[in-house]
Amino acid sequence: MRINNLEDLSNHLIDNWKAGNYTFVYNDHDALATGTMMSEIFIDEARKKFPGEEQAEIMWHAERLEEWINEGNANLQ
């Protein structure tokens, strides 16, 4: 997938999260990364890939990603 903008980056991270590529150990078991973790990853990646992007725009996408993972798709975990 080619990442041309913040929306592409968000979709890329969601797809990889769904595939189980972002995990951590919790109580001796692998668990999917939390929304907060994914938001932090998004912010780091967005700043690297799109250094001229407005901070407010990055944060808006990061918050949507976090909400999607924590609220809308908690049943996937």
Side-chain angles (χ1 to χ4, degrees):
M1 169 184 215
R2 187 171 173 124
I3 300 172
N4 296 313
N5 54 45
L6 294 175
E7 187 174 344
D8 290 347
L9 177 59
S10 180
N11 290 334
H12 174 74
L13 291 176
I14 287 170
D15 290 345
N16 280 291
W17 180 83
K18 285 180 185 177
N21 295 333
Y22 290 100
T23 60
F24 68 104
V25 175
Y26 180 76
N27 288 336
D28 295 326
H29 295 88
D30 284 339
L32 285 172
T34 66
T36 301
M37 291 172 175
M38 293 304 295
S39 174
E40 291 171 2
I41 291 168
F42 176 85
I43 292 166
D44 289 342
E45 289 297 312
R47 287 179 177 159
K48 289 177 197 171
K49 293 181 184 302
F50 306 105
E53 190 66 58
E54 293 280 334
Q55 183 66 18
E57 190 69 17
I58 291 172
M59 296 309 294
W60 185 86
H61 282 278
E63 289 170 6
R64 298 296 84 62
L65 176 66
E66 183 173 352
E67 288 173 7
W68 185 87
I69 289 172
N70 285 342
E71 295 172 10
N73 292 288
N75 59 340
L76 292 176
Q77 294 183 357

